[in-house]
Amino acid sequence: MITILTNMRLNRNLLLLLTVLIIMLFSYFWKRRKKLTGQKISSSVLFFEILKLGIVIAIFSIVSFGLKNQFGTTFSLVETEKVDETITLITDSTATGISKYYLSQQTWKDFNRKKHSLPFKVNYMDVLKAHKNRNSFAITSEFSWGIFYKHLVDHDTPLIEALSLSFYNYQKESNMSRRDFAELIISSIQDIPYNLILSDECKETDIKPCFGNIKLGVYAPAEFVSSLRADCDTRTVLIYTILSRFNYDVAILNSEKYLHSVIGLNIPSTGKYKTHNTKKYYFVETTARGCPIGYLPNDVSNISYWKFALIHNKHL
């Protein structure tokens, strides 16, 4: 019983009442045990003792159900499974059914060295849907990275709504400007450690950690939120998904020369940018902490090698 109670998510008042009930039950049966000790127990006495026990259990169940209705909660047996050091897979049994989700608490610093902390949460079934959708993508002669990215973005935008709303509520509480909000989202993803994602098997010479045999070497946004495993374009697709959800003029740019992917953001800024239809999209590096809007590392800084893949939810 103690083990069960420690795994219950209960209202404090409900927990107190349940504790009192348990103490009363224990006290009652302790007294009965003392009275019956040393006595020869007939079958009829034993029958009535069992009957009393059944009645008490029934009453306890009825009271528990009533308390559930009164306090708006129920026994919530929570099973947790550590996916890795930072992510927990939680199974939560509630009055409305069983929910299963991945949860991690991300803490990072923005470009001004201000500390932030937010939960990254995504439904387990939604991750399976994202995985199935990604693997269902048909590679044809018309393939482009923009088409593939759009396939992921359109499908996963509602699946990561919990994360988007988490950012949104944090913005409102902190009274952030639109630029600060964009930087909040970008810096949170930059802070996540780099993982190499490959379409082929990982080799000994590949960067570690490495995850191979992933279709087109990209995780869908919901998959990324669940595992926190990502290289460049897995990150750009997630950031693009969230920023476009909040109506930012955002793009994904790829470079075959550099084998790299970055975000382009049409927002007043300084630094390097690429122009599309007279609009300036400032480069955003997503794989290293603290890279501000408009910054490109020197080894990938020649803008002539960068091409737009997806912009305004339109593949190019």
Side-chain angles (χ1 to χ4, degrees):
M1 179 60 71
I2 293 174
T3 302
I4 293 176
L5 284 175
T6 56
N7 286 288
M8 287 182 178
R9 287 186 173 179
L10 298 175
N11 180 287
R12 183 179 297 176
N13 294 327
L14 176 57
L15 182 58
L16 178 60
L17 289 172
L18 287 175
T19 303
V20 172
L21 282 173
I22 292 169
I23 293 173
M24 290 174 63
L25 284 172
F26 181 80
S27 177
Y28 170 77
F29 285 108
W30 180 262
K31 291 178 181 178
R32 293 297 300 159
R33 186 194 68 82
K34 291 179 67 176
K35 287 183 179 180
L36 295 174
T37 300
Q39 297 182 17
K40 185 177 180 180
I41 303 175
S42 65
S43 58
S44 61
V45 171
L46 180 61
F47 171 77
F48 281 111
E49 287 300 319
I50 294 173
L51 180 62
K52 288 177 183 178
L53 177 60
I55 293 173
V56 170
I57 292 174
I59 293 173
F60 180 77
S61 301
I62 293 171
V63 171
S64 298
F65 182 77
L67 290 172
K68 183 253 322 188
N69 292 332
Q70 178 179 356
F71 291 103
T73 187
T74 186
F75 293 143
S76 180
L77 302 182
V78 179
E79 302 173 8
T80 61
E81 174 189 340
K82 282 290 182 183
V83 178
D84 63 18
E85 293 181 355
T86 58
I87 308 163
T88 304
L89 178 58
I90 298 175
T91 303
D92 193 357
S93 178
T94 67
T96 57
I98 297 176
S99 64
K100 197 171 184 178
Y101 53 89
Y102 295 94
L103 179 65
S104 63
Q105 187 70 27
Q106 295 301 302
T107 301
W108 73 98
K109 292 180 179 180
D110 62 22
F111 303 145
N112 297 314
R113 308 302 296 166
K114 182 179 179 181
K115 192 174 182 180
H116 305 278
S117 185
L118 281 175
F120 276 39
K121 179 179 178 181
V122 63
N123 184 276
Y124 174 82
M125 293 305 298
D126 287 341
V127 175
L128 295 183
K129 292 176 185 176
H131 175 80
K132 182 178 180 180
N133 176 71
R134 176 175 58 78
N135 282 323
S136 71
F137 179 79
I139 302 175
T140 69
S141 59
E142 302 297 320
F143 172 82
S144 74
W145 284 106
I147 293 175
F148 177 56
Y149 295 157
K150 190 174 186 299
H151 176 80
L152 300 180
V153 170
D154 290 347
H155 181 269
D156 278 32
T157 295
L159 304 187
I160 62 166
E161 182 67 5
L163 177 59
S164 296
L165 289 178
S166 183
F167 278 117
Y168 175 77
N169 292 331
Y170 191 81
Q171 175 203 27
K172 291 301 181 184
E173 293 171 3
S174 305
N175 194 28
M176 289 183 174
S177 67
R178 190 154 173 81
R179 181 186 179 87
D180 288 342
F181 186 44
E183 291 182 346
L184 174 78
I185 295 167
I186 293 165
S187 59
S188 73
I189 306 305
Q190 287 178 340
D191 188 74
I192 297 172
Y194 183 89
N195 291 260
L196 185 59
I197 313 298
L198 297 178
S199 57
D200 300 322
E201 290 186 4
C202 295
K203 300 185 292 292
E204 287 296 325
T205 55
D206 288 327
I207 296 172
K208 301 296 187 296
C210 177
F211 299 89
N213 298 315
I214 307 301
K215 188 169 186 177
L216 292 170
V218 180
Y219 279 128
E223 292 180 291
F224 179 17
V225 177
S226 74
S227 67
L228 301 182
R229 296 169 182 166
D231 54 9
C232 57
D233 47 358
T234 295
R235 294 167 188 262
T236 57
V237 171
L238 176 62
I239 293 175
Y240 179 97
T241 302
I242 299 174
L243 289 180
S244 60
R245 159 68 176 79
F246 294 108
N247 299 315
Y248 283 89
D249 190 355
V250 61
I252 296 177
L253 296 98
N254 288 351
S255 170
E256 292 185 9
K257 168 72 173 180
Y258 298 131
L259 298 177
H260 197 31
S261 179
V262 297
I263 284 290
L265 190 57
N266 178 26
I267 195 170
S269 191
T270 58
K272 288 186 174 291
Y273 61 86
K274 187 92 173 180
T275 303
H276 180 79
N277 290 343
T278 72
K279 293 190 294 185
K280 297 178 180 179
Y281 289 86
Y282 287 88
F283 289 98
V284 180
E285 170 61 50
T286 67
T287 63
R289 294 183 179 96
C291 295
I293 297 171
Y295 170 80
L296 266 182
N298 289 333
D299 56 348
V300 295
S301 61
N302 189 334
I303 63 172
S304 64
Y305 290 127
W306 290 98
K307 307 295 180 185
F308 286 94
L310 182 64
I311 185 171
H312 292 312
N313 214 25
K314 296 178 181 179
H315 57 82
L316 299 175

